[in-house]
């Protein structure tokens, strides 16, 4: 495997071609953004931490029969992945109310959501990633109705694996965002699963252990990302 030209640069990752046309390298950067990239910064070694955490979580999901684009971690910051066509829908699953749903619906912060809630957002920075319904997804032909069912089913299944995984490590999995891609006509999990894309609250202290430390200037950002890595990978 050799790393070829850059295919795409996103806010937190770069994607490189390889000598195999159906495989790419995801390179994890330290760049952090929030509020539709209005806030920008650097979280030292975040790329390394998120690559290792995502690797562990994709492996855990694979053991539970959930396919993803993950092939293998190839260096501190690089993950070899299947080349997929990303479905431009962010799938958010919530076990507790916080963040945008509290602002949007006036729910009580921290309210339990059981059964978990699945929401869809249109992945388009120029529109600020708006909340969309299944009918919008059909109207805009972002995915077929049966693919939408698949996205929801996979998100719920992923939650049933990750919720106990984090609970065993003293962390409440509050919510998370997933991206899926098409690969050989099949929908598979893609992107990353990390403290950038999930919210974790320490079960003992309630302390925020995710990107909310950056979003809300809570301090001890790097230390917290390292602590999540320690708990996930030990
Ligand atoms: N999220 C993400 N990328 C986004 C928006 C949200 O990874 O562009 C994650 C976020 O970290 C949280 C979950 O999705 O774990 C739900 O986020 P929410 O809708 O509450 O949005 P926010 O409050 O972050 O704007």
């Amino acid at each position: 495997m050799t790393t070829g030209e850059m295919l795409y640069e996103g806010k937190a990752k770069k994607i490189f071609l390889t000598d195999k046309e159906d495989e790419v390298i995801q390179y994890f950067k330290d760049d952090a953004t929030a509020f539709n990239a209005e806030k920008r910064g650097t979280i030292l070694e975040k790329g390394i931490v998120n690559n290792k955490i995502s690797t562990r979580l994709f492996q855990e999901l694979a053991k539970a029969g959930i396919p993803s684009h993950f092939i293998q971690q190839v260096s501190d910051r690089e993950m070899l992945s299947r080349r997929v066509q990303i479905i431009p829908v962010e799938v958010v699953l919530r076990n507790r109310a916080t963040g945008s749903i509290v602002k949007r619906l006036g729910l009580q912060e921290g309210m339990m959501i059981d059964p978990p809630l699945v929401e869809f957002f249109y992945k388009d920075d120029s529109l600020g990633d708006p909340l969309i319904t299944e009918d919008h997804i059909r109207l805009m032909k972002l995915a077929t109705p049966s693919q939408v069912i698949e996205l929801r089913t996979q998100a719920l299944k992923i939650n049933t694996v990750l919720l106990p995984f984090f609970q065993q490590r003293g962390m409440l999995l509050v919510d998370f965002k997933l991206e899926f891609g098409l690969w050989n006509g099949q929908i598979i999990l893609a992107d990353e699963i990390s403290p950038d894309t999930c919210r974790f609250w320490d079960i003992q202290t309630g302390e925020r252990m995710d990107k909310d430390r950056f979003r809300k200037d809570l301090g001890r950002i790097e230390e917290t990302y390292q602590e999540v890595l320690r708990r996930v990978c030990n």
Side-chain angles (χ1 to χ4, degrees), residues 90 92 94 98-101 103-104 119 121 129 175-177 195-199 212 215:
E90 298 192 341
V92 168
R94 302 182 188 273
T98 191
S100 73
I101 197 171
K103 287 200 202 98
R104 205 179 330 114
E119 292 178 335
F121 294 84
D129 294 348
D175 59 26
F176 56 88
K177 182 266 301 180
D196 275 12
T197 63
C198 304
R199 285 193 175 98
D212 271 356
R215 293 188 187 100

Side-chain angles (χ1 to χ4, degrees), residues 6-7 11 21 29 56 59 61 64 66 81 83 94 107 119 121 147 154 158 163 180-181 200 207 211 214 228 231:
M6 191 169 72
L7 186 63
K11 285 173 281 191
E21 69 172 34
K29 305 192 285 184
R56 177 68 206 271
Q59 287 169 337
L61 291 169
I66 297 161
S81 308
R83 185 174 181 176
R94 302 182 188 273
L107 300 183
E119 292 178 335
F121 294 84
Q147 287 173 334
Q154 289 215 24
I158 289 164
L163 198 61
F180 294 86
F200 308 115
E207 204 177 24
K211 204 165 87 173
F214 169 77
V228 176
R231 292 198 200 181

Side-chain angles (χ1 to χ4, degrees), residues 98-220:
T98 191
S100 73
I101 197 171
V102 166
K103 287 200 202 98
R104 205 179 330 114
L105 302 181
L107 300 183
Q108 196 191 333
E109 173 73 20
M111 187 189 98
M112 269 178 66
I113 303 178
D114 189 18
L117 179 74
V118 177
E119 292 178 335
F120 302 109
F121 294 84
Y122 180 35
K123 191 172 149 63
D124 186 322
D125 286 339
S126 67
L127 297 173
D129 294 348
L131 179 77
I132 50 175
T133 68
E134 300 188 30
D135 286 354
H136 294 135
I137 295 177
R138 181 166 359 110
L139 171 73
M140 296 170 74
K141 296 190 166 53
L142 305 176
T144 65
S146 67
Q147 287 173 334
V148 174
I149 292 170
E150 180 74 15
L151 295 177
R152 178 189 298 281
T153 305
Q154 289 215 24
L156 290 166
K157 198 167 165 197
I158 289 164
N159 189 52
T160 66
V161 177
L162 296 187
L163 198 61
F165 178 90
F166 284 105
Q167 180 152 5
Q168 284 157 19
R169 288 157 178 82
M171 296 155 79
L172 173 64
L173 178 60
V174 172
D175 59 26
F176 56 88
K177 182 266 301 180
L178 303 170
E179 292 184 25
F180 294 86
L182 281 173
W183 180 73
N184 287 341
Q186 195 194 345
I187 287 188
I188 59 172
L189 179 62
D191 194 47
E192 66 177 285
I193 308 178
S194 73
D196 275 12
T197 63
C198 304
R199 285 193 175 98
F200 308 115
W201 294 350
D202 184 280
I203 287 172
Q204 300 290 333
T205 65
E207 204 177 24
R208 279 23 181 188
M209 301 186 70
D210 54 64
K211 204 165 87 173
D212 271 356
R213 303 204 74 82
F214 169 77
R215 293 188 187 100
K216 300 180 176 178
D217 295 316
L218 299 178
R220 295 184 34 253

Side-chain angles (χ1 to χ4, degrees), residues 57-83:
L57 296 178
F58 285 137
Q59 287 169 337
E60 209 58 35
L61 291 169
K63 275 195 266 170
I66 297 161
S68 79
H69 71 158
F70 173 80
I71 300 173
Q72 65 179 74
Q73 191 191 330
V74 290
S75 76
D76 266 2
R77 289 178 183 273
E78 293 169 306
M79 176 190 289
L80 183 65
S81 308
R82 296 184 176 88
R83 185 174 181 176

